[in-house]
Amino acid sequence: MTQTLYGRMYLAAYDTDAAALYDRTRTGFLLRAAVLAELALLGRVTDGAGDVTVADSGPTGDPVLDDTLAQAGAHRRTWKAWIRADRAETLGAVEDRLAAVGLITVEERPAFVRPARRSVTVRDAAGVRALQDGLAAQLHGAGPLAPHDAVLLALAAAGGVRHIVSRADARAHRDRLDAAAGRLDALAPALGKAVRGLGTTLVAAQGGMGGS
């Protein structure tokens, strides 16, 4: 299973029963946020008065991270703006990366198929379910959350990934989810704020672009 934060976010968002992402539009936003959070965890970007500021522009060795790092170095934008920017391209890049390392298979649907998009199958459905069950167990637990797990739970809650954080869980474990979101605040206050407002951003995006 992948160790990258964005890769784990993608697999967490995959619905093994439906053999597809829970929602491709929403997943694009979550991946952008996960990539930014991963760069922050690596110390490559910081929060500069609400904008993403590159602290170390050297290559990370990961093509997905390096692409976003180069973008952030070329343009100064807020964390919210970067989460919204190029999300479809990032989704495709993440799928290409996961396919390259053998975690998923990707089938390109013909252009005349509506909606025209990729068909993705995970190669280890049991492993993906174990990842998702582990995150759910972290939510229901009482011990401290690992940084990566905290970010994933905060994003899953904000993005409405219900097979990870159900509506009932969101109510029952609000304090734990707030603590998870607090990890994002510690990385970059504006990132935490952008993720907390992600629900409104997603509704607005899907209202303008349609659903998944």
Side-chain angles (χ1 to χ4, degrees):
M1 203 57 57
T2 179
Q3 296 302 309
T4 63
L5 181 60
Y6 69 76
R8 293 179 68 202
M9 184 71 258
Y10 182 94
L11 297 176
Y14 192 89
D15 184 339
T16 56
D17 291 334
L21 287 171
Y22 88 113
D23 185 302
R24 287 188 68 84
T25 298
R26 287 173 174 252
T27 300
F29 281 95
L30 297 181
L31 291 176
R32 288 292 293 180
V35 167
L36 290 168
E38 189 157 7
L39 288 171
L41 283 165
L42 292 172
R44 297 307 189 94
V45 298
T46 61
D47 191 346
D51 290 342
V52 176
T53 301
V54 174
D56 181 354
S57 61
T60 67
D62 182 282
V64 175
L65 297 178
D66 285 343
D67 182 62
T68 299
L69 189 60
Q71 290 176 357
H75 305 282
R76 192 170 183 86
R77 293 176 178 169
T78 65
W79 293 83
K80 180 178 179 180
W82 279 121
I83 289 174
R84 293 177 62 91
D86 299 326
R87 54 194 179 273
E89 290 79 4
T90 296
L91 174 57
V94 169
E95 288 177 336
D96 289 345
R97 180 62 176 165
L98 294 180
V101 298
L103 291 176
I104 64 174
T105 58
V106 177
E107 179 184 354
E108 300 287 354
R109 294 181 177 179
F112 58 81
V113 174
R114 298 294 182 218
R117 64 187 185 200
R118 294 170 151 188
S119 175
V120 176
T121 304
V122 296
R123 301 186 67 175
D124 180 9
V128 171
R129 286 192 290 271
L131 167 65
Q132 295 170 352
D133 290 345
L135 289 172
Q138 287 280 323
L139 176 60
H140 296 144
L145 291 167
H148 279 55
D149 289 342
V151 172
L152 291 172
L153 284 172
L155 289 175
V161 186
R162 297 304 179 199
H163 56 269
I164 302 294
V165 183
S166 68
R167 289 184 175 86
D169 280 341
R171 292 191 295 269
H173 302 285
R174 181 176 298 173
D175 290 346
R176 195 150 175 84
L177 290 172
D178 284 344
R183 292 295 187 94
L184 291 169
D185 293 329
L187 283 174
L191 173 60
K193 181 178 180 180
V195 169
R196 285 185 173 87
L198 197 55
T200 301
T201 301
L202 293 171
V203 169
Q206 291 191 297
M209 298 182 300
S212 63

